[in-house]
Amino acid sequence: MSSRDSFSGRFGIIAAAVGSAIGLGNVWRFPYVCGEYGGGAFLLIYLLCVVLMGLPIMLAEFSIGRRAQSNAYRAFRKLSPAKPWYLIGVMGIVAAFVILSFYSAVGGWTIEYFIRSVSDNMSGDHAQQFKNFIATSYLPLIYQFIFIALSFAIVMLGVKKGIESSSKILMPLLLLLLLILCIRSVTMDGASEGLIFLLKPDFSKITIDSVLCAMGQAFFSLSLGMGCMITYGSYIKRNENLTYIAGMVAGADTLIALLAGIAIFPAAMALGIQPDSGPGLVFITLPGMFEQITGGMVFSTCFFLLLSIAAITSAISLLEVIVSFCVEELHIKRKPATLLVSLCVFLLGTICSLSLGIIPELSLFGKSFFDLMDFSSSNLLLPIGGLFIAIYVGWIMKKRFTARELTEGGVKNYLFIRLFFFLIRYIAPIAIIVVFISRLLRSDL
Ligand code: PHE
Protein backbone atom coordinates (compact mmCIF):
# COMPACT_ATOMS: atom_id res chain seq x y z
CA MET A 1 0.00 0.00 0.00
CA SER A 2 2.80 2.40 -0.73
CA SER A 3 0.77 4.65 -3.00
CA ARG A 4 -2.19 6.12 -1.20
CA ASP A 5 -4.85 4.77 -3.52
CA SER A 6 -8.21 3.52 -2.35
CA PHE A 7 -9.45 0.02 -1.91
CA SER A 8 -11.61 -1.31 -4.67
CA GLY A 9 -14.83 0.21 -3.48
CA ARG A 10 -16.83 -0.15 -0.34
CA PHE A 11 -16.57 -3.89 -0.09
CA GLY A 12 -12.79 -3.77 -0.35
CA ILE A 13 -12.34 -1.43 2.57
CA ILE A 14 -14.88 -3.27 4.70
CA ALA A 15 -13.12 -6.53 3.92
CA ALA A 16 -9.76 -5.06 4.88
CA ALA A 17 -10.96 -3.48 8.12
CA VAL A 18 -12.92 -6.61 9.02
CA GLY A 19 -9.79 -8.64 8.23
CA SER A 20 -7.90 -6.55 10.77
CA ALA A 21 -10.64 -6.62 13.40
CA ILE A 22 -11.55 -10.30 13.22
CA GLY A 23 -8.79 -12.53 14.44
CA LEU A 24 -7.51 -14.19 17.56
CA GLY A 25 -9.10 -11.38 19.55
CA ASN A 26 -12.52 -12.81 18.80
CA VAL A 27 -11.96 -16.53 18.88
CA TRP A 28 -9.08 -16.92 21.33
CA ARG A 29 -9.01 -13.81 23.55
CA PHE A 30 -12.70 -13.05 23.93
CA PRO A 31 -13.69 -16.48 25.34
CA TYR A 32 -10.67 -16.66 27.61
CA VAL A 33 -11.11 -13.24 29.24
CA CYS A 34 -14.89 -13.61 29.30
CA GLY A 35 -14.45 -16.93 31.09
CA GLU A 36 -11.99 -15.44 33.54
CA TYR A 37 -14.16 -12.44 34.37
CA GLY A 38 -17.50 -14.01 34.95
CA GLY A 39 -19.26 -14.78 31.64
CA GLY A 40 -22.57 -12.99 31.12
CA ALA A 41 -21.76 -9.91 33.16
CA PHE A 42 -18.54 -9.49 31.20
CA LEU A 43 -20.38 -9.91 27.91
CA LEU A 44 -22.86 -7.22 28.83
CA ILE A 45 -20.17 -4.68 29.73
CA TYR A 46 -18.26 -5.66 26.62
CA LEU A 47 -21.27 -4.93 24.40
CA LEU A 48 -21.78 -1.58 26.14
CA CYS A 49 -18.13 -0.71 25.52
CA VAL A 50 -18.43 -1.60 21.83
CA VAL A 51 -21.45 0.67 21.38
CA LEU A 52 -20.48 3.58 23.62
CA MET A 53 -16.74 3.71 23.00
CA GLY A 54 -15.80 1.36 20.20
CA LEU A 55 -18.15 2.63 17.50
CA PRO A 56 -17.58 6.36 18.10
CA ILE A 57 -13.81 5.91 18.35
CA MET A 58 -13.75 3.86 15.17
CA LEU A 59 -15.65 6.65 13.41
CA ALA A 60 -13.23 9.16 14.90
CA GLU A 61 -10.24 7.19 13.59
CA PHE A 62 -11.78 6.88 10.12
CA SER A 63 -12.50 10.63 10.09
CA ILE A 64 -8.94 11.57 11.05
CA GLY A 65 -7.53 9.22 8.44
CA ARG A 66 -9.78 10.30 5.60
CA ARG A 67 -9.24 13.96 6.37
CA ALA A 68 -5.46 13.70 6.65
CA GLN A 69 -4.94 11.05 3.93
CA SER A 70 -2.03 9.49 5.75
CA ASN A 71 -0.83 7.12 8.46
CA ALA A 72 -1.56 7.95 12.10
CA TYR A 73 1.74 9.66 12.88
CA ARG A 74 1.69 11.88 9.76
CA ALA A 75 -2.04 12.54 10.18
CA PHE A 76 -1.50 14.29 13.51
CA ARG A 77 1.59 16.09 12.17
CA LYS A 78 -0.48 17.40 9.27
CA LEU A 79 -3.61 18.30 11.20
CA SER A 80 -1.92 19.82 14.28
CA PRO A 81 1.65 20.62 13.19
CA ALA A 82 2.95 22.43 16.26
CA LYS A 83 1.44 20.10 18.86
CA PRO A 84 2.57 16.75 20.26
CA TRP A 85 -0.54 14.85 19.11
CA TYR A 86 1.67 12.81 16.79
CA LEU A 87 2.74 10.98 19.96
CA ILE A 88 -0.53 9.03 19.58
CA GLY A 89 1.01 7.65 16.40
CA VAL A 90 4.25 6.82 18.19
CA MET A 91 2.34 5.08 20.96
CA GLY A 92 0.45 3.11 18.34
CA ILE A 93 3.73 1.79 17.00
CA VAL A 94 4.81 0.69 20.46
CA ALA A 95 1.41 -0.96 20.96
CA ALA A 96 1.74 -2.78 17.63
CA PHE A 97 5.09 -4.27 18.72
CA VAL A 98 3.75 -5.30 22.10
CA ILE A 99 0.63 -6.91 20.62
CA LEU A 100 2.55 -8.69 17.88
CA SER A 101 4.88 -10.27 20.43
CA PHE A 102 2.18 -12.40 22.04
CA TYR A 103 -0.17 -12.44 19.05
CA SER A 104 2.45 -14.19 16.96
CA ALA A 105 2.90 -16.78 19.71
CA VAL A 106 -0.82 -17.61 19.70
CA GLY A 107 -0.84 -17.44 15.88
CA GLY A 108 1.86 -20.12 16.03
CA TRP A 109 -0.32 -22.29 18.27
CA THR A 110 -3.15 -22.16 15.72
CA ILE A 111 -0.79 -23.29 12.98
CA GLU A 112 0.40 -26.16 15.19
CA TYR A 113 -3.20 -27.17 15.85
CA PHE A 114 -3.94 -27.00 12.14
CA ILE A 115 -1.06 -29.35 11.46
CA ARG A 116 -2.15 -31.69 14.25
CA SER A 117 -5.64 -31.78 12.74
CA VAL A 118 -4.32 -32.64 9.29
CA SER A 119 -2.21 -35.42 10.72
CA ASP A 120 -5.13 -36.58 12.91
CA ASN A 121 -2.98 -36.35 15.99
CA MET A 122 -5.36 -34.96 18.55
CA SER A 123 -6.87 -37.58 20.78
CA GLY A 124 -6.13 -37.96 24.46
CA ASP A 125 -6.05 -35.46 27.30
CA HIS A 126 -6.27 -32.10 25.56
CA ALA A 127 -5.38 -29.98 28.56
CA GLN A 128 -2.26 -32.02 29.15
CA GLN A 129 -1.38 -31.97 25.45
CA PHE A 130 -1.67 -28.20 25.31
CA LYS A 131 0.45 -27.83 28.42
CA ASN A 132 3.11 -30.16 27.08
CA PHE A 133 3.15 -28.26 23.82
CA ILE A 134 3.63 -24.77 25.22
CA ALA A 135 5.50 -25.57 28.38
CA THR A 136 8.05 -28.18 27.55
CA SER A 137 9.42 -27.69 24.10
CA TYR A 138 10.85 -25.22 21.64
CA LEU A 139 8.12 -26.15 19.17
CA PRO A 140 5.99 -23.04 19.82
CA LEU A 141 8.97 -20.90 18.77
CA ILE A 142 9.21 -22.68 15.46
CA TYR A 143 5.51 -22.14 14.76
CA GLN A 144 5.74 -18.55 15.91
CA PHE A 145 8.54 -18.09 13.42
CA ILE A 146 6.41 -19.60 10.66
CA PHE A 147 3.52 -17.31 11.57
CA ILE A 148 5.73 -14.22 11.44
CA ALA A 149 7.38 -15.34 8.20
CA LEU A 150 3.97 -15.77 6.51
CA SER A 151 2.81 -12.33 7.66
CA PHE A 152 6.14 -10.88 6.61
CA ALA A 153 5.84 -12.32 3.12
CA ILE A 154 2.38 -10.85 2.63
CA VAL A 155 3.37 -7.40 3.93
CA MET A 156 6.41 -7.38 1.71
CA LEU A 157 4.43 -8.23 -1.37
CA GLY A 158 2.06 -5.34 -0.65
CA VAL A 159 -1.08 -6.08 1.26
CA LYS A 160 -4.03 -4.72 -0.59
CA LYS A 161 -4.89 -7.58 -2.89
CA GLY A 162 -3.99 -10.23 -0.36
CA ILE A 163 -6.16 -8.91 2.45
CA GLU A 164 -9.06 -8.05 0.25
CA SER A 165 -9.42 -11.34 -1.49
CA SER A 166 -8.69 -13.47 1.54
CA SER A 167 -11.21 -11.59 3.67
CA LYS A 168 -13.90 -11.75 1.02
CA ILE A 169 -13.89 -15.52 0.84
CA LEU A 170 -12.54 -16.63 4.17
CA MET A 171 -14.45 -14.51 6.63
CA PRO A 172 -17.85 -15.82 5.45
CA LEU A 173 -16.43 -19.35 5.63
CA LEU A 174 -15.24 -18.75 9.19
CA LEU A 175 -18.71 -17.50 10.03
CA LEU A 176 -20.31 -20.61 8.56
CA LEU A 177 -17.98 -22.95 10.36
CA LEU A 178 -18.50 -21.18 13.67
CA LEU A 179 -22.25 -21.52 13.18
CA ILE A 180 -21.87 -25.27 12.74
CA LEU A 181 -19.68 -25.46 15.84
CA CYS A 182 -22.25 -23.46 17.81
CA ILE A 183 -24.96 -25.93 16.89
CA ARG A 184 -22.79 -28.88 17.91
CA SER A 185 -21.72 -27.18 21.11
CA VAL A 186 -25.18 -26.34 22.37
CA THR A 187 -26.45 -29.82 21.60
CA MET A 188 -23.85 -31.55 23.75
CA ASP A 189 -24.95 -33.17 27.04
CA GLY A 190 -24.68 -30.63 29.82
CA ALA A 191 -24.28 -27.71 27.44
CA SER A 192 -27.01 -25.54 28.91
CA GLU A 193 -24.88 -24.62 31.91
CA GLY A 194 -22.36 -23.05 29.53
CA LEU A 195 -25.03 -21.10 27.69
CA ILE A 196 -26.34 -19.77 30.99
CA PHE A 197 -22.80 -18.85 32.00
CA LEU A 198 -22.36 -16.81 28.82
CA LEU A 199 -25.79 -15.26 28.45
CA LYS A 200 -27.13 -14.76 31.96
CA PRO A 201 -25.32 -11.88 33.67
CA ASP A 202 -24.41 -12.49 37.27
CA PHE A 203 -24.00 -8.91 38.46
CA SER A 204 -22.22 -9.93 41.62
CA LYS A 205 -19.28 -10.88 39.42
CA ILE A 206 -18.76 -7.33 38.14
CA THR A 207 -15.55 -5.91 39.55
CA ILE A 208 -13.41 -3.03 38.38
CA ASP A 209 -11.04 -5.58 36.86
CA SER A 210 -13.78 -7.10 34.77
CA VAL A 211 -14.84 -3.65 33.56
CA LEU A 212 -11.25 -2.74 32.67
CA CYS A 213 -10.79 -6.00 30.80
CA ALA A 214 -14.08 -5.71 28.93
CA MET A 215 -13.11 -2.23 27.81
CA GLY A 216 -9.64 -3.39 26.81
CA GLN A 217 -11.12 -6.35 24.94
CA ALA A 218 -13.39 -4.00 22.95
CA PHE A 219 -10.41 -1.89 21.88
CA PHE A 220 -8.33 -4.95 21.08
CA SER A 221 -11.00 -6.75 19.15
CA LEU A 222 -11.96 -3.70 17.06
CA SER A 223 -8.28 -2.84 16.38
CA LEU A 224 -8.74 0.59 17.96
CA GLY A 225 -6.57 3.02 19.85
CA MET A 226 -3.36 2.56 17.90
CA GLY A 227 -3.86 4.20 14.54
CA CYS A 228 -4.65 1.12 12.52
CA MET A 229 -8.12 2.35 11.61
CA ILE A 230 -6.69 5.85 10.93
CA THR A 231 -4.58 4.33 8.18
CA TYR A 232 -7.58 2.41 6.81
CA GLY A 233 -9.63 5.61 6.96
CA SER A 234 -7.15 7.24 4.64
CA TYR A 235 -7.97 4.63 2.01
CA ILE A 236 -11.72 5.23 2.14
CA LYS A 237 -13.07 7.24 -0.79
CA ARG A 238 -14.87 10.53 -0.20
CA ASN A 239 -18.20 9.23 -1.44
CA GLU A 240 -18.30 6.37 1.06
CA ASN A 241 -20.38 6.40 4.22
CA LEU A 242 -18.03 6.11 7.22
CA THR A 243 -20.82 5.29 9.65
CA TYR A 244 -22.03 2.41 7.52
CA ILE A 245 -18.50 1.01 7.24
CA ALA A 246 -17.82 1.36 10.99
CA GLY A 247 -21.17 -0.27 11.75
CA MET A 248 -20.44 -3.21 9.47
CA VAL A 249 -16.96 -3.75 10.91
CA ALA A 250 -18.06 -3.51 14.55
CA GLY A 251 -21.14 -5.64 13.84
CA ALA A 252 -19.22 -8.41 12.10
CA ASP A 253 -16.54 -8.40 14.77
CA THR A 254 -19.03 -8.63 17.62
CA LEU A 255 -21.01 -11.36 15.88
CA ILE A 256 -17.90 -13.53 15.50
CA ALA A 257 -16.93 -13.02 19.15
CA LEU A 258 -20.43 -13.96 20.28
CA LEU A 259 -20.47 -17.06 18.10
CA ALA A 260 -17.05 -18.04 19.43
CA GLY A 261 -18.46 -17.72 22.94
CA ILE A 262 -21.47 -19.87 22.07
CA ALA A 263 -19.22 -22.45 20.42
CA ILE A 264 -16.88 -22.64 23.39
CA PHE A 265 -18.63 -22.28 26.75
CA PRO A 266 -21.34 -24.91 26.36
CA ALA A 267 -18.76 -27.37 25.03
CA ALA A 268 -16.34 -26.50 27.82
CA MET A 269 -18.96 -27.11 30.51
CA ALA A 270 -20.09 -30.31 28.84
CA LEU A 271 -16.51 -31.57 28.77
CA GLY A 272 -15.84 -30.49 32.36
CA ILE A 273 -13.36 -27.76 31.44
CA GLN A 274 -13.33 -24.70 33.69
CA PRO A 275 -14.28 -21.49 31.83
CA ASP A 276 -11.43 -19.67 33.57
CA SER A 277 -8.76 -21.99 32.18
CA GLY A 278 -6.84 -19.02 30.74
CA PRO A 279 -5.19 -18.54 27.35
CA GLY A 280 -5.39 -22.26 26.58
CA LEU A 281 -9.22 -22.41 26.82
CA VAL A 282 -9.95 -22.57 23.07
CA PHE A 283 -7.13 -25.00 22.40
CA ILE A 284 -8.37 -27.37 25.08
CA THR A 285 -12.09 -27.11 24.45
CA LEU A 286 -12.40 -27.28 20.68
CA PRO A 287 -10.28 -30.39 20.11
CA GLY A 288 -12.48 -32.10 22.72
CA MET A 289 -15.57 -31.07 20.81
CA PHE A 290 -14.16 -32.09 17.42
CA GLU A 291 -13.69 -35.59 18.82
CA GLN A 292 -17.44 -35.79 19.27
CA ILE A 293 -18.31 -34.73 15.72
CA THR A 294 -18.46 -37.18 12.85
CA GLY A 295 -15.73 -36.09 10.47
CA GLY A 296 -14.29 -33.99 13.29
CA MET A 297 -10.87 -34.07 11.75
CA VAL A 298 -12.11 -32.30 8.62
CA PHE A 299 -13.87 -29.65 10.71
CA SER A 300 -10.86 -29.25 12.91
CA THR A 301 -8.55 -28.84 9.93
CA CYS A 302 -10.79 -26.23 8.30
CA PHE A 303 -11.34 -24.40 11.55
CA PHE A 304 -7.70 -24.03 12.54
CA LEU A 305 -6.78 -23.16 8.97
CA LEU A 306 -9.36 -20.38 8.84
CA LEU A 307 -8.38 -19.17 12.29
CA SER A 308 -4.71 -19.08 11.27
CA ILE A 309 -5.62 -17.00 8.23
CA ALA A 310 -7.85 -14.67 10.27
CA ALA A 311 -4.91 -14.25 12.67
CA ILE A 312 -2.55 -13.50 9.80
CA THR A 313 -4.83 -10.82 8.32
CA SER A 314 -4.88 -9.12 11.73
CA ALA A 315 -1.14 -9.52 12.23
CA ILE A 316 -0.40 -7.94 8.87
CA SER A 317 -2.51 -4.91 9.78
CA LEU A 318 -0.33 -4.56 12.89
CA LEU A 319 2.91 -5.12 10.98
CA GLU A 320 1.75 -2.66 8.34
CA VAL A 321 1.38 0.10 10.97
CA ILE A 322 5.05 -0.25 11.88
CA VAL A 323 6.35 -0.90 8.38
CA SER A 324 4.53 2.04 6.78
CA PHE A 325 5.95 4.28 9.50
CA CYS A 326 9.47 3.07 8.65
CA VAL A 327 8.84 3.52 4.91
CA GLU A 328 6.94 6.80 4.91
CA GLU A 329 8.62 8.59 7.83
CA LEU A 330 12.07 7.07 8.22
CA HIS A 331 12.51 6.52 4.47
CA ILE A 332 13.71 2.95 4.81
CA LYS A 333 12.92 0.79 1.78
CA ARG A 334 9.97 -1.53 2.17
CA LYS A 335 11.87 -4.82 2.02
CA PRO A 336 14.57 -4.08 4.61
CA ALA A 337 11.99 -2.32 6.79
CA THR A 338 9.70 -5.35 6.80
CA LEU A 339 12.60 -7.67 7.50
CA LEU A 340 13.89 -5.57 10.38
CA VAL A 341 10.46 -5.18 11.96
CA SER A 342 9.73 -8.90 11.66
CA LEU A 343 13.05 -9.74 13.29
CA CYS A 344 12.34 -7.42 16.22
CA VAL A 345 8.88 -8.92 16.59
CA PHE A 346 10.36 -12.40 16.63
CA LEU A 347 12.87 -11.45 19.34
CA LEU A 348 10.20 -9.93 21.56
CA GLY A 349 7.87 -12.80 20.72
CA THR A 350 10.48 -15.35 21.74
CA ILE A 351 10.58 -13.86 25.23
CA CYS A 352 6.78 -14.10 25.37
CA SER A 353 6.70 -17.72 24.30
CA LEU A 354 9.49 -18.79 26.61
CA SER A 355 7.86 -17.05 29.57
CA LEU A 356 4.88 -19.40 29.26
CA GLY A 357 7.11 -22.36 28.67
CA ILE A 358 10.60 -23.37 29.52
CA ILE A 359 11.75 -20.11 31.13
CA PRO A 360 8.96 -19.17 33.55
CA GLU A 361 11.42 -16.84 35.31
CA LEU A 362 10.72 -14.33 32.53
CA SER A 363 8.14 -12.52 34.62
CA LEU A 364 7.51 -9.08 36.10
CA PHE A 365 5.03 -7.89 38.77
CA GLY A 366 4.03 -11.50 39.33
CA LYS A 367 2.86 -11.90 35.73
CA SER A 368 4.60 -13.85 33.00
CA PHE A 369 6.04 -11.70 30.22
CA PHE A 370 3.29 -13.07 27.95
CA ASP A 371 0.51 -12.01 30.34
CA LEU A 372 2.17 -8.68 30.90
CA MET A 373 2.29 -7.87 27.18
CA ASP A 374 -1.27 -9.14 26.72
CA PHE A 375 -2.56 -7.14 29.70
CA SER A 376 -0.67 -3.92 29.13
CA SER A 377 -1.52 -3.59 25.45
CA SER A 378 -5.26 -4.19 25.69
CA ASN A 379 -5.94 -2.71 29.07
CA LEU A 380 -3.53 0.22 29.00
CA LEU A 381 -1.99 1.22 25.70
CA LEU A 382 -5.07 0.88 23.49
CA PRO A 383 -7.56 2.61 25.84
CA ILE A 384 -5.03 5.43 26.44
CA GLY A 385 -4.63 5.80 22.67
CA GLY A 386 -8.43 5.71 22.32
CA LEU A 387 -8.81 8.34 25.03
CA PHE A 388 -6.52 10.77 23.22
CA ILE A 389 -8.16 10.06 19.87
CA ALA A 390 -11.57 10.79 21.40
CA ILE A 391 -10.28 14.01 22.98
CA TYR A 392 -8.65 15.01 19.72
CA VAL A 393 -11.74 14.52 17.59
CA GLY A 394 -14.14 15.76 20.27
CA TRP A 395 -12.29 18.85 21.40
CA ILE A 396 -9.37 19.72 19.12
CA MET A 397 -10.26 18.94 15.50
CA LYS A 398 -12.65 21.55 14.12
CA LYS A 399 -16.18 20.35 14.57
CA ARG A 400 -17.14 21.21 11.03
CA PHE A 401 -14.29 19.07 9.63
CA THR A 402 -15.48 16.06 11.58
CA ALA A 403 -19.10 16.78 10.68
CA ARG A 404 -18.04 16.92 7.06
CA GLU A 405 -16.37 13.51 7.26
CA LEU A 406 -19.51 12.07 8.79
CA THR A 407 -21.95 13.63 6.36
CA GLU A 408 -20.03 13.34 3.10
CA GLY A 409 -21.22 10.14 1.52
CA GLY A 410 -22.92 9.50 4.80
CA VAL A 411 -25.58 10.28 7.33
CA LYS A 412 -26.97 13.81 7.01
CA ASN A 413 -29.10 13.51 10.09
CA TYR A 414 -28.54 16.34 12.56
CA LEU A 415 -29.51 14.23 15.55
CA PHE A 416 -27.01 11.55 14.63
CA ILE A 417 -24.18 14.09 14.44
CA ARG A 418 -25.13 15.41 17.86
CA LEU A 419 -25.23 11.91 19.29
CA PHE A 420 -21.79 11.21 17.86
CA PHE A 421 -20.33 14.37 19.39
CA PHE A 422 -21.97 13.61 22.71
CA LEU A 423 -20.39 10.16 22.78
CA ILE A 424 -16.96 11.23 21.57
CA ARG A 425 -16.69 14.38 23.71
CA TYR A 426 -18.15 13.12 26.97
CA ILE A 427 -19.16 9.50 27.28
CA ALA A 428 -16.13 7.74 25.75
CA PRO A 429 -13.36 9.84 27.37
CA ILE A 430 -15.05 10.12 30.75
CA ALA A 431 -15.80 6.40 30.84
CA ILE A 432 -12.17 5.54 30.05
CA ILE A 433 -10.85 7.94 32.70
CA VAL A 434 -13.30 6.71 35.33
CA VAL A 435 -12.34 3.08 34.69
CA PHE A 436 -8.64 3.91 34.93
CA ILE A 437 -8.98 5.93 38.10
CA SER A 438 -11.18 3.36 39.82
CA ARG A 439 -8.66 0.67 38.95
CA LEU A 440 -5.77 2.77 40.26
CA LEU A 441 -7.59 3.46 43.48
CA ARG A 442 -7.67 -0.27 44.04
CA SER A 443 -3.90 0.20 44.30
CA ASP A 444 -2.72 -3.45 44.09
CA LEU A 445 -1.47 -4.28 40.61
N1 PHE B 1 -8.41 -6.95 16.33
C1 PHE B 1 -7.44 -7.98 16.15
C2 PHE B 1 -8.05 -9.30 16.63
O1 PHE B 1 -9.13 -9.30 17.15
C3 PHE B 1 -6.13 -7.66 16.83
C4 PHE B 1 -5.62 -6.29 16.54
C5 PHE B 1 -5.53 -5.37 17.55
C6 PHE B 1 -5.28 -5.91 15.24
C7 PHE B 1 -5.10 -4.06 17.31
C8 PHE B 1 -4.85 -4.63 14.96
C9 PHE B 1 -4.77 -3.70 15.99
O2 PHE B 1 -7.49 -10.32 16.51
Side-chain angles (χ1 to χ4, degrees):
M1 271 199 268
S2 46
S3 64
R4 201 147 285 283
D5 54 356
S6 310
F7 278 91
S8 54
R10 171 181 293 180
F11 198 79
I13 178 69
I14 294 181
V18 164
S20 166
I22 294 180
L24 297 170
N26 309 61
V27 180
W28 160 72
R29 201 172 186 283
F30 173 76
Y32 115 66
V33 284
C34 182
E36 234 158 59
Y37 291 99
F42 179 94
L43 175 62
L44 194 71
I45 307 172
Y46 174 74
L47 293 177
L48 276 176
C49 290
V50 168
V51 175
L52 299 179
M53 303 178 205
L55 261 174
I57 291 178
M58 188 181 289
L59 262 176
E61 291 203 19
F62 282 161
S63 306
I64 297 173
R66 189 161 74 170
R67 168 138 195 94
Q69 289 293 302
S70 61
N71 66 52
Y73 172 87
R74 177 105 338 243
F76 290 108
R77 285 249 140 160
K78 262 191 193 167
L79 299 177
S80 297
K83 303 272 165 49
W85 289 101
Y86 65 86
L87 289 176
I88 297 177
V90 176
M91 228 177 73
I93 290 161
V94 175
F97 267 117
V98 173
I99 296 175
L100 275 168
S101 68
F102 67 88
Y103 206 87
S104 56
V106 184
W109 303 349
T110 51
I111 298 183
E112 151 78 10
Y113 272 71
F114 162 66
I115 296 191
R116 279 194 201 180
S117 315
V118 178
S119 48
D120 201 7
N121 179 18
M122 286 239 267
S123 47
D125 178 347
H126 301 294
Q128 195 55 42
Q129 275 183 357
F130 179 75
K131 212 165 145 214
N132 289 349
F133 167 58
I134 63 162
T136 56
S137 73
Y138 283 100
L139 217 54
L141 283 184
I142 297 173
Y143 285 107
Q144 184 171 24
F145 182 80
I146 297 174
F147 182 83
I148 296 173
L150 288 172
S151 316
F152 161 87
I154 299 174
V155 170
M156 215 172 64
L157 297 174
V159 272
K160 211 170 99 181
K161 283 212 182 64
I163 307 185
E164 258 194 66
S165 47
S166 68
S167 298
K168 270 181 211 173
I169 311 164
L170 297 166
M171 293 299 154
L173 273 182
L174 182 66
L175 180 74
L176 186 74
L177 202 62
L178 268 176
L179 274 172
I180 299 175
L181 295 189
C182 285
I183 296 173
R184 183 64 193 107
S185 175
V186 296
T187 49
M188 281 167 84
D189 278 342
S192 55
E193 213 185 310
L195 261 189
I196 293 173
F197 175 80
L198 177 67
L199 299 177
K200 189 159 172 254
D202 172 356
F203 292 103
S204 67
K205 286 195 180 147
I206 297 184
T207 59
I208 184 60
D209 276 335
S210 59
V211 178
L212 178 70
C213 286
M215 177 172 91
Q217 174 62 21
F219 279 95
F220 184 85
S221 192
L222 296 170
S223 308
L224 294 176
M226 39 116 23
C228 194
M229 291 297 172
I230 296 186
T231 314
Y232 282 140
S234 72
Y235 296 115
I236 304 179
K237 290 204 184 85
R238 286 241 142 255
N239 60 0
E240 293 291 353
N241 181 342
L242 295 187
T243 312
Y244 174 81
I245 297 177
M248 290 295 285
V249 176
D253 188 73
T254 310
L255 178 69
I256 297 283
L258 255 176
L259 291 180
I262 299 176
I264 283 161
F265 289 113
M269 295 290 196
L271 295 166
I273 297 165
Q274 288 305 317
D276 59 354
S277 301
L281 180 66
V282 178
F283 295 94
I284 304 171
T285 310
L286 289 183
M289 178 160 90
F290 289 127
E291 265 184 344
Q292 303 203 356
I293 302 181
T294 359
M297 188 191 126
V298 179
F299 281 108
S300 176
T301 307
C302 294
F303 178 79
F304 285 112
L305 177 66
L306 287 174
L307 186 57
S308 306
I309 297 171
I312 288 179
T313 58
S314 301
I316 49 189
S317 76
L318 285 158
L319 262 182
E320 186 63 33
V321 168
I322 316 176
V323 170
S324 62
F325 176 81
C326 296
V327 173
E328 291 169 16
E329 308 304 328
L330 307 179
H331 307 291
I332 307 176
K333 287 212 173 63
R334 194 171 186 88
K335 261 191 205 166
T338 318
L339 192 62
L340 190 72
V341 172
S342 305
L343 261 175
C344 295
V345 167
F346 184 63
L347 287 180
L348 207 60
T350 304
I351 307 180
C352 270
S353 266
L354 294 179
S355 77
L356 278 192
I358 29 195
I359 316 188
E361 293 78 23
L362 290 168
S363 65
L364 263 178
F365 309 120
K367 278 185 193 307
S368 67
F369 194 72
F370 181 102
D371 287 339
L372 201 67
M373 295 287 120
D374 183 358
F375 182 92
S376 61
S377 56
S378 304
N379 299 345
L380 283 174
L381 293 174
L382 300 185
I384 293 177
L387 172 65
F388 284 113
I389 289 168
I391 295 177
Y392 186 81
V393 170
W395 300 93
I396 309 289
M397 194 153 131
K398 286 206 177 65
K399 223 173 159 176
R400 68 188 155 87
F401 289 156
T402 317
R404 187 176 152 211
E405 291 306 330
L406 296 181
T407 46
E408 236 179 31
V411 190
K412 301 226 164 39
N413 185 323
Y414 178 66
L415 258 180
F416 168 77
I417 308 278
R418 287 195 64 164
L419 175 68
F420 170 77
F421 275 109
F422 178 65
L423 291 174
I424 206 78
R425 296 185 85 154
Y426 302 105
I427 300 296
I430 292 175
I432 298 172
I433 293 173
V434 168
V435 174
F436 275 149
I437 294 184
S438 328
R439 178 63 183 82
L440 280 177
L441 289 179
R442 233 212 57 205
S443 57
D444 58 314
L445 256 165

